[in-house]
Amino acid sequence: MAHEVDLLVVGAGPTGLFAAYYAGFRGMSVALVDALPEPGGQVTAMYPEKMIFDVAGFPEIRGRDLIAALVEQADQYGPRYLLGRPAVSLSDVDGGLLVDVGEGEQVRAGAVLVTAGIGEFTPRPLPAGGEWIGKGVVHFIPELSAHAGHDVVVVGGGDSAFDWALALQPVARSVTLVHRRTRFRAHEGLITKVEQLGVPLIVPAEVAEIRGDAGGLIEVAIDVDGQRRVLPAQTVVAALGFTADLGPIESWGLDLEKRSILVDTTMRTSRARVYAAGDVAAYPGKVKLIATGFGEAATAVNNIAVELNPDAHLFPGHSSNLG
């Protein structure tokens, strides 16, 4: 089965969703493909409950609320979602592009915009937590309420660890953060907020053992300065970072640099009719922010509009003029 659209957006995170909206605004038919089963990319998969502070116009907005608003915005123009499947291969066909999205389906598009973020990501494992993954040991928390009344141990020292500690503290019975070093990688402001809430920070410490029974987790044994200490825990959040790669996109013949796709000022890649925007795109001076991705998406879509229709104007006017 082949879908035919003007633009295929590869990656349904914030940048991809805004690109779908903007392409619809420019009169293009759009499909979005993503290996994840729902829109939102990293925001949905990793921190839906986290407050985001660097989106213009919002002093703060919860991750899941940002994604819901972006989906609503894009849905004005009826994009087609192909979720839970990867973009496998890319080939040229009759002046356009053909992308295999698995399950016997293909997408034929006039252009492709890659908004794949960091690509396919895999959480780094907690060595002592193997048998308890999904049974009390988690990497991400889609719903804070699922951990209400729990004793929670967060393992890690980066922004994600402190974000989860901050988010869980109001709903959990207790939250303790454990890190194997005395120094943290997290932003100083986050560390201060967690400290002000009275969350214990145990360092330097290693998780030695996780114990439980058929009903779930009961406690966590940690080693602190050569001493064994036991903490009650029904939830352990392993916030140890993740590994990532671009998956099949790496074989598409694009110029790459450190798992990013090199683009020019129009967001065009080294391959005809293929563009990139958001965290996956690289150029000198790039700053990886959601806000940056929104601007890059608009730049890419406007240039794609002209490539698909040379009579089109690069700048279509302001969307506010439509009201």
Side-chain angles (χ1 to χ4, degrees):
M1 178 180 177
H3 306 277
E4 291 200 19
V5 293
D6 296 317
L7 176 64
L8 174 65
V9 179
V10 179
T15 298
L17 290 168
F18 185 72
Y21 156 73
Y22 204 89
F25 166 65
R26 294 269 355 214
M28 300 181 207
S29 58
V30 181
L32 297 101
V33 61
D34 199 299
L36 296 173
E38 55 186 315
Q42 293 175 59
V43 176
T44 295
M46 298 172 66
Y47 46 89
E49 297 290 346
K50 176 183 174 181
M51 301 307 295
I52 299 172
F53 301 98
D54 54 10
V55 176
F58 295 96
E60 62 179 42
I61 184 168
R62 196 173 302 277
R64 65 167 68 253
D65 295 335
L66 174 63
I67 297 305
L70 285 164
V71 169
E72 181 181 359
Q73 184 182 39
D75 284 354
Q76 296 176 79
Y77 297 104
R80 179 175 301 162
Y81 292 94
L82 302 170
L83 302 175
R85 60 187 74 186
V88 181
S89 61
L90 174 70
S91 56
D92 297 291
V93 55
D94 299 331
L97 297 165
L98 190 67
V99 178
D100 184 345
V101 296
E103 300 182 16
E105 294 191 68
Q106 297 175 316
V107 180
R108 182 169 177 164
V112 168
L113 174 57
V114 182
T115 57
I118 61 171
E120 300 176 6
F121 49 91
T122 303
R124 290 193 173 96
L126 177 64
E131 66 177 292
W132 295 102
I133 293 294
K135 296 183 290 184
V137 175
V138 298
H139 296 286
F140 313 121
I141 301 176
E143 294 286 347
L144 290 175
S145 59
H147 308 277
H150 285 197
D151 297 298
V152 179
V153 175
V154 179
V155 184
D159 285 345
S160 292
F162 280 84
D163 281 332
W164 289 128
L166 201 61
L168 286 161
Q169 194 274 339
V171 300
R173 179 164 51 203
S174 70
V175 176
T176 304
L177 189 143
V178 175
H179 185 43
R180 62 193 178 95
R181 295 191 179 96
T182 55
R183 295 183 60 125
F184 300 111
R185 302 184 311 279
H187 186 274
E188 188 62 37
L190 266 179
I191 298 171
T192 299
K193 284 183 178 180
V194 171
E195 288 176 332
Q196 289 174 343
L197 286 173
V199 173
L201 308 179
I202 303 178
V203 295
E206 296 269 6
V207 175
E209 186 180 357
I210 296 176
R211 303 168 186 151
D213 56 24
L217 296 191
I218 297 174
E219 59 189 20
V220 174
I222 60 174
D223 290 334
V224 190
D225 289 332
Q227 301 292 317
R228 179 64 55 93
R229 182 173 171 182
V230 177
L231 303 173
Q234 295 79 53
T235 298
V236 173
V237 183
L240 302 173
F242 46 85
T243 58
D245 63 65
L246 293 178
I249 293 173
E250 292 187 359
S251 66
W252 286 9
L254 308 174
D255 287 346
L256 304 177
E257 181 181 89
K258 295 181 180 179
R259 298 196 307 275
S260 296
I261 301 171
L262 296 175
V263 297
D264 64 15
T265 57
T266 69
M267 311 312 296
R268 185 182 286 110
T269 72
S270 57
R271 184 164 180 173
R273 292 179 177 251
V274 180
Y275 293 70
D279 284 359
V280 76
Y283 51 82
K286 169 68 178 264
V287 177
K288 293 187 176 183
L289 293 172
I290 290 175
T292 305
F294 291 160
E296 292 172 353
T299 297
V301 167
N302 282 323
N303 282 279
I304 289 168
V306 174
E307 182 159 6
L308 297 185
N309 178 12
D311 294 328
H313 295 289
L314 177 64
F315 178 57
H318 298 289
S319 59
S320 56
N321 294 340
L322 297 178

